[in-house]
Amino acid sequence: MATHRTKMLIIGSGPAGYSAAIYAARAMLEPIVVQGLQPGGQLTITTDVENYPGYRDVVQGPWMMEEMKAQAENVGTRMMYDIITEVDLENGSPFRAVADSGDEYIADTIVIATGAQAKWLGVPGEQELGGKGVSACATCDGFFYRGKKVAVIGGGNTAVEEALYLTNHSDDVTIIHRRDEFRAEKILQDRVFKSDKINVLWNKTVESFEAGEDGTLGHLVLKDTVTGESSTLEVDGAFVAIGHAPSTELFEGKLPMHSGKYLQVEPGTPKTAIPGVFAAGDVTDAVYRQAVTAAGMGCMAALDAERFLATLEDAREPQAAE
């Protein structure tokens, strides 16, 4: 058991956490990153990344996260392979956090970058074919299915928006929904029904994702929710779009949250309701959910944390003079 003291504790280690660490370390804040259950975040289970600025060729998600981590370490960040299990925010700065190992962290500021996880169907073939035809982000991976046949599973705003986005790349998009009507907003539904590139299969669930001869996704096995009949749908790509779940369990009852349990921040900033506590990346972003936007928010969090620390120093100076 050890106690670690730092000017900035970063909880989480995806693009938001690593970017915050890079900026904080360069500002001599000596940040500590507690990396959590999945060091590197969702990009560690993403194969081809083609939409992050700075790389002319496609790069691999795990490699990119290793590079970000190494950059943060090279400028002075301390990485901890642990999981924060308890935080005390109500008494203000300095804040106290306890990790699964029993180690205690005392921090003047906290950046929450715990991210979010896509919700999955939990059916055979889904995880095995991840990155081989199965995805949870059309914005991230749709480009790889130009001119190919794709399917979107879901019936809410996320699914409908992903299907509409995919029409930029494919003329053959199928939405698979377990009910006989969408839950999406009416304006989005209207756009779907007007599109000659989108077909809807009602009252269908995906029973499994099946590989083709080349080892990538070949077809879906579907089940009719009314008749119980089984069928197949040949596709090159399938996008599971049933929502995301932010990793905010640790902060329930301690910080305000939006619907869906995303952390609430002051508009246009990473500032939470508690001074000195900041949130960045997918943990607070239900709209964009991109690596580049998460990295930008991590930068903002570090800069705002630096300003917060400066105000603390200013407040302490008169007391020291007395």
Side-chain angles (χ1 to χ4, degrees):
M1 311 298 180
T3 298
H4 310 278
R5 297 183 182 274
T6 178
K7 292 180 181 178
M8 181 188 293
L9 174 65
I10 300 168
I11 306 174
S13 56
Y18 288 150
S19 296
I22 291 166
Y23 274 81
R26 295 184 74 252
M28 309 304 290
L29 301 185
E30 301 176 337
I32 293 176
V33 173
V34 178
Q35 299 197 75
L37 192 62
Q38 187 179 24
Q42 293 185 74
L43 276 180
T44 59
I45 57 171
T46 301
T47 52
D48 294 345
V49 178
E50 197 173 41
N51 57 2
Y52 196 89
Y55 305 100
R56 76 168 68 182
D57 297 317
V58 174
V59 298
Q60 298 299 299
W63 176 85
M64 194 168 84
M65 288 298 93
E66 281 297 321
E67 290 294 293
M68 282 194 188
K69 173 177 173 286
Q71 183 180 2
E73 288 178 310
N74 285 345
V75 291
T77 301
R78 185 178 177 190
M79 297 288 173
M80 305 296 287
Y81 292 92
D82 213 337
I83 302 168
I84 297 296
T85 57
E86 179 185 338
V87 290
D88 180 4
L89 305 179
E90 64 178 331
N91 295 314
S93 180
F95 305 101
R96 176 181 174 272
V98 178
D100 185 61
S101 65
D103 283 10
E104 182 181 63
Y105 294 84
I106 307 298
D108 293 327
T109 63
I110 289 179
V111 173
I112 301 168
T114 47
Q117 299 292 329
K119 295 179 182 178
W120 296 96
L121 298 172
V123 300
E126 185 175 47
Q127 296 304 315
E128 293 83 352
L129 291 171
K132 300 177 182 178
V134 178
S135 171
C137 181
T139 310
C140 309
D141 300 327
F143 181 78
F144 300 111
Y145 298 92
R146 288 168 293 173
K148 297 183 178 181
K149 184 173 182 177
V150 297
V152 177
I153 299 104
N157 283 352
T158 299
V160 170
E161 288 172 347
E162 299 243 302
L164 290 167
Y165 172 80
L166 286 167
T167 60
N168 295 317
H169 304 294
S170 170
D171 292 334
D172 193 345
V173 180
T174 300
I175 300 178
I176 301 167
H177 187 35
R178 61 181 178 173
R179 298 188 176 93
D180 59 2
E181 61 180 5
F182 289 130
R183 293 174 289 108
E185 295 174 7
K186 185 66 165 55
I187 188 171
L188 295 175
Q189 294 189 42
D190 290 343
R191 291 174 186 167
V192 165
F193 297 139
K194 289 177 181 177
S195 175
D196 59 2
K197 298 180 180 181
I198 299 176
N199 176 51
V200 182
L201 293 181
W202 303 108
N203 299 316
K204 296 286 192 297
T205 59
V206 176
E207 294 286 282
S208 66
F209 298 85
E210 302 292 337
E213 293 182 359
D214 62 355
T216 64
L217 180 65
H219 68 271
L220 311 179
V221 175
L222 307 179
K223 181 178 180 180
D224 192 295
T225 59
V226 177
T227 66
E229 294 180 1
S230 294
S231 60
T232 61
L233 178 69
E234 292 187 5
V235 291
D236 299 297
F239 296 85
V240 179
I242 57 175
H244 283 72
S247 302
T248 54
E249 298 87 351
L250 183 61
F251 308 101
E252 288 186 17
K254 298 175 182 179
L255 288 170
M257 298 182 184
H258 291 294
S259 60
K261 297 187 177 180
Y262 288 86
L263 291 181
Q264 185 174 320
V265 293
E266 183 181 316
T269 81
K271 299 175 183 177
T272 71
I274 297 179
V277 179
F278 307 89
D282 287 7
V283 74
T284 185
D285 177 15
V287 178
Y288 301 104
R289 297 195 301 265
Q290 299 298 302
V292 67
T293 53
M297 293 176 72
C299 162
M300 294 163 62
L303 294 176
D304 278 345
E306 185 180 1
R307 296 186 183 104
F308 173 80
L309 290 169
T311 62
L312 287 185
E313 290 297 323
D314 291 342
R316 290 169 182 160
E317 283 181 4
Q319 297 177 1
E322 292 175 5

